[in-house]
Amino acid sequence: MIKNVIFDCFGTLIDTGTGSMDAVRSILTNVNLNVDADEFYSEWKIKKKEMTYFDEFYSEKELFKMSLAEMFKKNNVTADIDEAVQPMIRV
């Protein structure tokens, strides 16, 4: 018997528009990182997805923060992750 069904409809049934890319551009501007936003976001999504395979459960917010920290480390950015990630996780 199926007790629960989880379905992620964002980007599938609901067009989320340019919100994520707008957030990435805002983050890059806020930390003065001059890189291609599309490439940065593509790599960030891959890192975030890889982190979903950890044995421990992390919330979406935690995954965004952890993966952004990795991206900042790769690009030699020193910034407050809690503050920097805000454009992406604002509700």
Side-chain angles (χ1 to χ4, degrees):
M1 172 188 276
I2 298 174
K3 293 185 178 188
N4 294 312
V5 175
I6 298 172
F7 183 75
D8 179 5
C9 62
F10 292 101
T12 306
L13 297 177
I14 300 171
D15 183 5
T16 54
T18 61
S20 293
M21 281 308 302
D22 292 344
V24 169
R25 287 185 194 99
S26 177
I27 290 168
L28 296 176
T29 298
N30 292 343
V31 299
N32 297 315
L33 184 57
N34 188 20
V35 296
D36 182 84
D38 291 319
E39 290 179 20
F40 184 91
Y41 187 47
S42 293
E43 189 172 343
W44 186 11
K45 286 193 304 187
I46 291 168
K47 287 192 178 300
K48 183 176 161 282
K49 183 174 178 128
E50 289 171 352
M51 291 178 171
T52 63
Y53 299 113
F54 289 170
D55 289 334
E56 188 174 338
F57 173 81
Y58 292 99
S59 69
E60 190 78 1
K61 180 179 180 179
E62 292 170 316
L63 290 169
F64 273 121
K65 288 169 56 175
M66 291 168 24
S67 54
L68 183 59
E70 288 292 316
M71 292 300 295
F72 279 4
K73 182 178 179 181
K74 177 185 178 220
N75 289 281
N76 299 314
V77 174
T78 55
D80 182 314
I81 293 298
D82 290 321
E83 184 178 323
V85 77
Q86 288 305 309
M88 185 60 83
I89 61 173
R90 231 178 253 140
V91 180

